[in-house]
Amino acid sequence: MKNDPAGPRIARGGKSVYGARLGILMLEARFPRIPGDMGNAETWPFPVLYRVVRGASPDLVVRRGAEGLLEAFLQAGEELVRDGADGLTTNCGFLSLFQAEMAAHCGVPVATSSLMQAPFIQSLLPPGRRVGILTVSAETLTSEHLAKAGVAADTPVAGTEGGREFSRVILNDETELDVGAAEADILEAGQRLMDENPDLGAVLLECTNMSPYARVLSEHLGLPVFDIHSFMTWFHAGLKPRDFGHPGSAPKLWRER
């Protein structure tokens, strides 16, 4: 048998699952997750790993400060890394509260919250313009949530809790969603955010369940809209940089990381 001119092809192991770099820690919920929602696997252009954190209800995380859940998230994050994740995120922007602890504990890059994009988005805007945040619950998005994500304290915030559908279904974990009514709630809140802040230059969606509506919101306001999908697409590009086919300078071991 002829020798392989490229040298031996040696596979390296160490994981349980290969080919899925991003691990997503999910709240335990049953509300509908339509395409665009990060809890719908068809949303992603790449494979992902999921882990549901039992007991982490939307009500507990959003309305009650995720009290008592830190250890459960640390353990679930550790398990996802052990299974094969090279980076971690969560499906609720309010989990910025756990950013420092998870980054220290899990041993891989961690991006707990869409809110973490705010400082970068702000740096992109022209002078006199600023980013504003749209959230599922403005009344419980505290200065601590913002500070832990690196968000400036004076960043304008508007919530959808005054609407009739979106916040109610998500926070009460209802199993039926009127998508049109949810969209109307988000458009109304976005319009209010812009009306109250004439210097608005971009919108950041705190809530990961708002991503399906980002396009229509951007078209309605005439502004850029950033969300968890845009964030994780960028994040994943660092976990698995695109291969442009250039040969390396040395023989490469065959390894699926």
Side-chain angles (χ1 to χ4, degrees), residues 16-252:
S16 297
V17 178
Y18 290 83
R21 304 296 184 99
L22 179 64
I24 303 176
L25 293 165
M26 299 289 298
L27 304 192
E28 186 173 15
R30 298 185 62 199
F31 57 77
R33 295 189 179 277
I34 63 176
D37 188 299
M38 74 183 304
N40 185 320
E42 293 183 345
T43 294
W44 303 107
F46 42 77
V48 299
L49 293 174
Y50 287 109
R51 184 63 52 91
V52 176
V53 180
R54 301 299 173 188
S57 70
D59 176 71
L60 180 54
V61 172
V62 174
R63 289 174 171 152
R64 294 186 279 157
E67 184 178 2
L69 288 175
L70 176 58
E71 287 303 318
F73 274 91
L74 293 178
Q75 180 179 340
E78 184 179 342
E79 291 170 355
L80 272 177
V81 172
R82 192 159 55 241
D83 286 347
D86 294 322
L88 298 175
T89 187
T90 83
N91 83 309
C92 183
F94 280 71
L95 288 166
S96 62
L97 293 176
F98 296 162
Q99 174 63 33
E101 292 85 351
M102 289 194 64
H105 179 81
C106 295
V108 297
V110 175
T112 54
S113 175
S114 179
L115 292 171
M116 296 171 69
Q117 298 174 92
F120 179 57
I121 297 168
Q122 184 60 53
S123 73
L124 303 176
L125 298 179
R129 294 288 176 178
R130 58 178 176 163
V131 62
I133 292 169
L134 205 60
T135 175
V136 70
S137 178
E139 62 187 13
T140 59
L141 187 66
T142 67
S143 58
E144 184 180 9
H145 289 100
L146 299 180
K148 294 261 177 120
V151 183
D154 63 348
T155 301
V157 176
T160 54
E161 64 265 51
R164 72 178 181 89
E165 185 74 8
F166 182 78
S167 291
R168 190 198 76 249
V169 170
I170 301 302
L171 298 181
N172 295 337
D173 197 19
E174 300 179 9
T175 58
E176 185 172 300
L177 174 71
D178 182 331
V179 176
E183 179 181 295
D185 288 348
I186 290 167
L187 293 180
E188 186 280 327
Q191 186 65 53
R192 176 163 32 90
L193 180 66
M194 189 165 73
D195 290 346
E196 294 175 356
N197 301 277
D199 59 348
L200 199 67
V203 175
L204 172 59
L205 305 181
E206 166 277 317
C207 181
T208 68
N209 312 114
M210 290 180 175
S211 294
Y213 314 96
R215 175 68 173 269
V216 69
L217 179 64
S218 177
E219 292 174 347
H220 177 76
L221 300 180
L223 293 174
V225 173
F226 298 87
D227 61 4
I228 193 67
H229 185 267
S230 61
F231 192 20
M232 286 304 104
T233 313
W234 170 85
F235 189 60
H236 185 269
L239 300 178
K240 187 179 181 181
R242 181 176 170 185
D243 183 356
F244 291 96
H246 300 296
S249 58
K252 184 173 71 172

